[in-house]
Amino acid sequence: MTATASGPARVIDPGRKRILQRRIRIIVAVTITYNVIEAIIALAAGTAASSAALIGFGLDSIVEVLSAAAIAWQFAAPDPEKREKVALRVVAYSFFGLAAYVIVDAGLSIFGLREPEHSPVGIALAAVSLAIMPVLSWFERRTGRELGSASAVADSKQTLICSYLSAALLGGLLLNSVLGWAWADSIAALVIAGFAVKEGLEAWKGDTCAVPISALTGERTLDADTCC
């Protein structure tokens, strides 16, 4: 990272850099393992209950696995910075694919082509994810910022989205189970899609704009003449 008009760039000690890169790999491994389990449970329960929100949540878990795998691939290289743009693009495409599927699936429920049933398993899964995902996201984001990795920060945002989606899913499933509001499931699914589009666009900008990594990771603000 070079010096800029906003001040000298922060230089990371090589030893500390190796520790941070190893930490990213551990976080990614934990994220992948959890999300594989989460995806299997969510997709099975969602299919059984015809729940667009629960199926969308399961697909988001798969997207999270793809994103984390891209970060693992990046940090498996001797020089992870060279793979950063490709990793960011994988994250962005994953978000867009998720949003497209969830919108279509939610539409089927909204137009009465399917009606979601109660899902106690889905409620329990959403509650567990709501407790776990914020911790993983915070840890990866903090490490990514110190390392100066835009892709790690982008992946941490995707993990944080899983927390938001867990809350939306939990609300939708509870409203459907307790009050019989079947439409709440579709609304929760569309919330999931909205978050996915927003974060996909942010990851894409990180890939294509000439924005310094320090700006993408929050270490400094963008200059007025910076492309974005």
Side-chain angles (χ1 to χ4, degrees):
M1 195 180 298
T2 59
T4 66
S6 300
R10 180 165 56 87
V11 178
I12 303 177
D13 176 77
R16 178 62 177 169
K17 186 174 183 179
R18 285 192 295 272
I19 291 174
L20 293 173
Q21 290 175 344
R22 184 166 60 250
R23 185 180 298 172
I24 289 289
R25 289 194 291 269
I26 293 173
I27 295 171
V28 165
V30 172
T31 300
I32 289 175
T33 301
Y34 177 80
N35 277 282
V36 167
I37 297 172
E38 183 180 73
I40 293 172
I41 296 174
L43 290 174
T47 300
S50 297
S51 169
L54 194 49
I55 291 174
F57 188 74
L59 291 174
D60 176 72
S61 299
I62 294 177
V63 168
E64 179 68 20
V65 170
L66 293 175
S67 176
I71 304 304
W73 168 77
Q74 177 190 349
F75 282 91
D79 188 5
E81 289 82 3
K82 291 183 178 180
R83 293 182 172 183
E84 181 121 72
K85 288 186 176 182
V86 176
L88 280 168
R89 179 162 291 183
V90 170
V91 172
Y93 280 136
S94 298
F95 273 125
F96 295 146
L98 166 66
Y101 183 91
V102 171
I103 289 172
V104 171
D105 204 45
L108 295 177
S109 296
I110 291 174
F111 291 108
L113 297 179
R114 67 172 61 172
E115 184 173 341
E117 301 174 0
H118 306 316
S119 179
V121 173
I123 291 174
L125 180 64
V128 171
S129 294
L130 190 56
I132 293 177
M133 287 297 133
V135 178
L136 288 175
S137 174
W138 174 82
F139 201 27
E140 184 175 15
R141 184 176 180 84
R142 179 179 179 182
T143 305
R145 279 185 167 181
E146 184 177 351
L147 188 59
S149 170
S151 58
V153 172
D155 186 59
S156 75
K157 286 184 177 182
Q158 190 170 63
T159 304
L160 184 60
I161 281 183
C162 192
S163 303
Y164 301 151
L165 303 188
S166 299
L169 176 66
L170 185 60
L173 294 178
L174 284 174
L175 288 173
N176 184 33
S177 294
V178 177
L179 301 178
W181 293 356
W183 55 264
D185 182 88
S186 298
I187 297 301
L190 292 177
V191 169
I192 292 174
F195 273 115
V197 171
K198 175 180 178 297
E199 294 304 328
L201 289 173
E202 287 193 6
W204 185 265
K205 288 179 182 178
D207 178 27
T208 58
C209 288
V211 180
I213 295 299
S214 57
L216 288 171
T217 56
E219 295 167 22
R220 73 175 182 86
T221 58
L222 291 173
D223 298 329
D225 58 349
T226 301
C227 164
C228 194

